[in-house]
């Protein structure tokens, strides 16, 4: 039912019930209604003229494999001379890996698309990315990219940053351990420092939520465990 609700964001429980019956489910209408409310799938917003690749339909399911769900946001900072710059942050929600750190003086919807394209050339794209309702994430450029790649945007509700808590936590660590600890002199300097911090974060920094493993150690350990289960 959740998959149908994501594919049909404006359908209520009655139409979802019809679709489920077509697929062979024999649950009663009342049961579907009860599950519909328990899953938090109620339609929360009216259709607007601006189209989006996805609408918020409750919390995104927890990721159980690498690369399944990502989270994305922005962080602001400034150079020593007072000029400001922004950093696009992208995190894998399964093993907390930092997927991308893209710094620039200005970041638009097209900038986000170019950054995701660069990541997509190195790894498989996720099923969905959790984002807020900033203009960069609601842009036509990103909406078109999502349509072409099949990636869904999971928009949090306005004023509810906790619904994207993982990226908020990551941004806090980035600011505390890197941005606040460095006086940047240029964009090239910022990019160099961020690349080094990203490698350290993924390969050497232990995470309490991962049993004090690094993101890459956690992924390798789970992969080995999966292979052992397959052999059995």
């Amino acid at each position: 039912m959740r998959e149908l609700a994501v594919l049909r964001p404006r359908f209520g429980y009655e139409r979802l019930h019809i679709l489920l019956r077509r697929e062979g489910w024999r649950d009663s209408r009342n049961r579907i209604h009860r599950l519909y409310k328990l899953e938090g799938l109620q339609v929360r917003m009216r259709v607007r003229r601006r189209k989006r690749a996805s609408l918020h339909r409750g919390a995104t399911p927890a990721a159980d494999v690498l690369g399944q769900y990502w989270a994305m946001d922005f962080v602001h900072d400034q150079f020593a001379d007072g000029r400001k710059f922004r950093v696009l942050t992208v995190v894998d929600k399964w093993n907390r890996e930092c997927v991308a750190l893209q710094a620039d003086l200005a970041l638009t919807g097209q900038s986000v698309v170019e950054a995701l394209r660069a990541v997509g050339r190195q790894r498989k794209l996720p099923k969905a990315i959790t984002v807020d309702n900033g203009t960069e994430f609601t842009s036509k450029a990103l909406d078109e990219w999502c349509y072409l790649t099949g990636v869904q945007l999971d928009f949090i509700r306005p004023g509810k940053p906790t619904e994207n808590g993982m990226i908020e936590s990551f941004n806090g660590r980035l600011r505390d351990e890197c941005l606040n600890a460095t006086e940047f002199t240029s964009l090239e300097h910022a990019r160099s420092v961020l690349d080094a911090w990203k490698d350290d974060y993924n390969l050497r920094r232990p995470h309490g939520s991962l049993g004090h493993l690094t993101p890459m150690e956690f992924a390798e350990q789970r992969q080995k465990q999966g292979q052992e289960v397959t052999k059995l």
Side-chain angles (χ1 to χ4, degrees), residues 24-215:
W25 295 88
R26 291 293 175 259
D27 298 76
S28 68
R29 177 182 171 188
N30 289 338
R31 175 177 169 77
I32 294 298
H33 186 214
R34 184 169 66 254
L35 294 174
Y36 180 82
K37 291 193 295 183
L38 287 174
E39 289 292 314
L41 298 177
Q42 297 93 326
V43 177
R44 291 188 177 90
M45 54 190 300
R46 296 176 299 173
V47 174
R48 299 178 181 177
R49 291 186 179 180
R50 167 170 285 192
K51 296 180 181 179
R52 292 181 176 175
S54 176
L55 298 178
H56 181 82
R57 297 299 296 259
T60 302
D64 51 23
V65 295
L66 181 67
Q68 186 178 25
Y69 297 115
W70 293 355
M72 185 163 59
D73 199 8
F74 289 103
V75 176
H76 302 256
D77 203 19
Q78 64 182 24
F79 301 116
D81 60 9
R83 290 180 301 147
K84 297 180 180 180
F85 69 95
R86 306 179 75 196
V87 182
L88 173 69
T89 59
V90 187
V91 174
D92 189 302
K93 298 175 75 172
W94 181 67
N95 69 334
R96 275 71 169 173
E97 177 188 0
C98 177
V99 176
L101 286 179
Q102 180 66 40
D104 212 328
L105 298 178
L107 289 169
T108 64
Q110 186 59 43
S111 303
V112 174
V113 170
E114 292 172 359
L116 292 175
R117 281 176 179 166
V119 174
R121 288 192 286 267
Q122 301 177 4
R123 64 173 69 201
K124 183 179 178 181
L125 293 171
K127 180 179 179 180
I129 306 176
T130 303
V131 296
D132 61 25
N133 291 269
T135 55
E136 301 86 359
F137 299 141
T138 59
S139 66
K140 292 182 179 179
L142 185 57
D143 186 77
E144 181 180 6
W145 179 83
C146 289
Y147 174 78
L148 294 174
T149 59
V151 176
Q152 293 182 341
L153 292 181
D154 174 44
F155 290 98
I156 65 174
R157 288 174 291 175
K160 299 288 184 178
T162 54
E163 293 182 355
N164 203 4
M166 186 171 293
I167 196 69
E168 294 290 339
S169 176
F170 172 83
N171 289 345
R173 294 191 181 99
L174 172 63
R175 182 167 298 284
D176 181 58
E177 299 175 11
C178 180
L179 300 181
N180 289 348
T182 309
E183 188 171 31
F184 300 105
T185 57
S186 65
L187 184 60
E188 292 72 21
H189 180 217
R191 288 173 174 172
S192 176
V193 171
L194 287 169
D195 285 342
W197 188 85
K198 174 174 171 285
D199 288 341
D200 181 73
Y201 180 88
N202 289 334
L203 300 174
R204 290 175 287 276
R205 183 189 185 281
H207 292 250
S209 59
L210 301 179
H212 301 293
L213 299 175
T214 69

Side-chain angles (χ1 to χ4, degrees), residues 15-26:
R15 285 207 233 181
L16 293 177
H17 179 227
I18 294 173
L19 293 178
L20 288 170
R21 290 187 65 85
R22 288 179 181 175
E23 295 185 3
W25 295 88
R26 291 293 175 259

